[in-house]
Amino acid sequence: MAAMAALEAELAAARATIATLRGEGAADGAVPHQKELEEKTKALEAANQELRSLTQNLDQIVRQRTRALAESESQLKRKNVELDRLNRMKAEFISIAAHELRTPMTSVVGYLDLIVEGRLGELPGDLRRPISSLRRNAHRLKRLIDDMLDVSRLETGRVSLHRAPCSLNDIVSAAIDEFKPIAGAKRQSLEGRLSDVPPIDADSDKVHQVVSNLLANSVKYTADGGQIRLSIDVHEGQARLRCWDNGIGIPPGLQARIFEPFSDVHTAKHHTSNSPDSAGLGLYIARGIVELHGGSIRVESEEGRYSEFTVLLPLVGAERS
Ligand code: ADP
């Protein structure tokens, strides 16, 4: 750039000289010496030549850079295609593995339920504890397999929603009834604040799954004797569900992460129940389901004080996104 400026200055000076020679600028009309004129002309030609070669260099550099840019762009495209392929393979692998595991697991869980409930005969006393532990872990495995299936269906766009007008009030009431005994076992109060919300345009089973996940988390991450509250109302033309608890809360920096897969942001020692830890897929699945409905989910929390999850879902008649 400095070289260009110097050349331009030199050019300007040469132009001024020519102008003077032509008598355009010379006030006294004096004609300079022929030699001086030749020197200036030569300098001008040299400067011109240098300018041309600089321009050529510049052109070459620009061409080289453009080629390199195009190459890295096509490399990036190839890598993206490869990444896509690997991602699809991963989803397919998870899907196949989960499908293959589910059938035998259903039978294992079913038999263990029958054994623990004593429907296949009385269990010897010393086997009760180990068999109960076996059953708990089998249920845990089955939940994990079900979650993996949900994730792979969501990621490959294979979740079909059976949407119909349904009552959020009914869904939430049913979930509260289901969780009352579990919360009761931890002496937690589980309160429903239900107002009349017009029908939502949703797959009621899937919404039930979301509500259950939120409630299960509230029970899990709230200490014995804590409070859990579910409320529903209409907010800015959408149905709003809020699940609040005064549990351990979530650190601010980690609040966005909990909607990612495998996102247990609390170490096991913070868990307030003896139930086995899950894989951290619940909220990822919940978000997938809610977004598939055209809704949204978010969290507000203060560590050590409370967590509140808010889900917005479209009412019947709202335009589908
Ligand atoms: P998990 O099965 O581990 O509960 P989720 O996807 O449902 O997985 O939740 C992800 C993480 O978010 C949890 O592991 C926990 O760290 C945090 N979390 C979820 N709900 C709550 C809550 N109500 N209170 C505190 N932390 C929570």
Side-chain angles (χ1 to χ4, degrees):
M1 290 318 274
M4 290 282 279
L7 284 170
E8 270 163 15
E10 220 170 302
L11 261 174
R15 278 199 191 103
T17 309
I18 292 170
T20 311
L21 292 174
R22 284 186 182 141
E24 289 168 10
D28 57 4
V31 178
H33 199 272
Q34 177 73 17
K35 203 161 166 235
E36 193 185 340
L37 186 61
E38 277 169 8
E39 272 169 14
K40 293 280 180 198
T41 311
K42 267 191 202 143
L44 189 61
E45 274 169 5
N48 250 336
Q49 181 61 35
E50 206 173 333
L51 193 62
R52 265 201 301 277
S53 90
L54 268 177
T55 313
Q56 269 171 5
N57 276 349
L58 210 60
D59 276 354
Q60 206 179 347
I61 290 170
V62 170
R63 269 200 304 276
Q64 274 171 358
R65 294 277 152 90
T66 312
R67 252 203 315 277
L69 216 61
E71 248 168 51
S72 55
E73 200 182 310
S74 80
Q75 242 176 33
L76 211 65
K77 271 191 190 139
R78 275 201 302 277
K79 290 228 163 93
N80 267 344
V81 169
E82 179 64 4
L83 224 56
D84 249 16
R85 191 181 72 83
L86 290 175
N87 225 3
R88 270 201 308 277
M89 268 172 71
K90 181 208 75 179
E92 221 164 280
F93 170 76
I94 292 178
S95 159
I96 291 169
H99 267 114
E100 292 301 317
L101 287 170
R102 193 160 68 157
T103 313
M105 211 52 221
T106 306
S107 144
V108 169
V109 164
Y111 275 112
L112 282 169
D113 283 349
L114 292 176
I115 291 170
V116 171
E117 285 157 17
R119 292 208 250 162
L120 298 181
E122 194 59 26
L123 253 188
D126 55 345
L127 278 188
R128 263 187 219 132
R129 265 176 69 109
I131 295 286
S132 293
S133 156
L134 206 60
R135 178 205 199 196
R136 247 194 335 270
N137 281 304
H139 274 277
R140 181 189 179 192
L141 263 180
K142 185 168 176 305
R143 264 200 311 277
L144 179 60
I145 292 166
D146 289 342
D147 279 358
M148 277 163 61
L149 270 175
D150 279 345
V151 166
S152 89
R153 284 195 199 106
L154 277 167
E155 287 187 346
T156 50
R158 282 182 294 119
V159 175
S160 40
L161 293 180
H162 304 291
R163 290 175 94 142
C166 51
S167 157
L168 186 57
N169 205 317
D170 288 353
I171 296 170
V172 170
S173 302
I176 289 178
D177 288 345
E178 281 160 34
F179 277 87
K180 271 257 156 78
I182 307 168
K186 290 183 77 180
R187 291 178 290 102
Q188 293 166 333
S189 69
L190 173 49
E191 184 198 345
R193 287 191 188 165
L194 313 178
S195 61
D196 258 341
V197 170
I200 54 170
D201 175 27
D203 182 325
S204 58
D205 286 343
K206 298 276 190 301
V207 175
H208 180 272
Q209 186 179 347
V210 172
V211 180
S212 297
N213 180 252
L214 296 179
L215 271 179
N217 281 345
S218 284
V219 171
K220 184 155 66 169
Y221 299 107
T222 300
D224 288 14
Q227 290 165 281
I228 300 167
R229 199 169 54 230
L230 264 186
S231 54
I232 61 169
D233 60 4
V234 174
H235 178 74
E236 292 179 354
Q238 286 181 296
R240 177 169 63 177
L241 161 84
R242 282 176 290 177
C243 182
W244 179 94
D245 64 62
N246 64 348
I248 61 175
I250 303 153
L254 301 175
Q255 287 173 18
R257 243 185 57 196
I258 60 173
F259 296 102
E260 301 298 323
F262 309 110
S263 60
D264 187 353
V265 298
H266 296 107
T267 53
K269 71 179 160 59
H270 285 116
H271 286 181
T272 57
S273 81
N274 294 324
S275 65
D277 310 331
S278 43
L281 291 173
L283 286 176
Y284 178 61
I285 295 168
R287 188 187 67 177
I289 291 174
V290 168
E291 287 180 354
L292 215 54
H293 280 86
S296 63
I297 183 168
R298 64 185 169 83
V299 68
E300 237 175 71
S301 178
E302 212 177 296
E303 214 181 353
R305 289 178 68 90
Y306 80 98
S307 300
E308 181 172 64
F309 286 84
T310 302
V311 175
L312 295 174
L313 287 166
L315 296 169
V316 168
E319 219 170 275
R320 286 184 182 178
S321 51

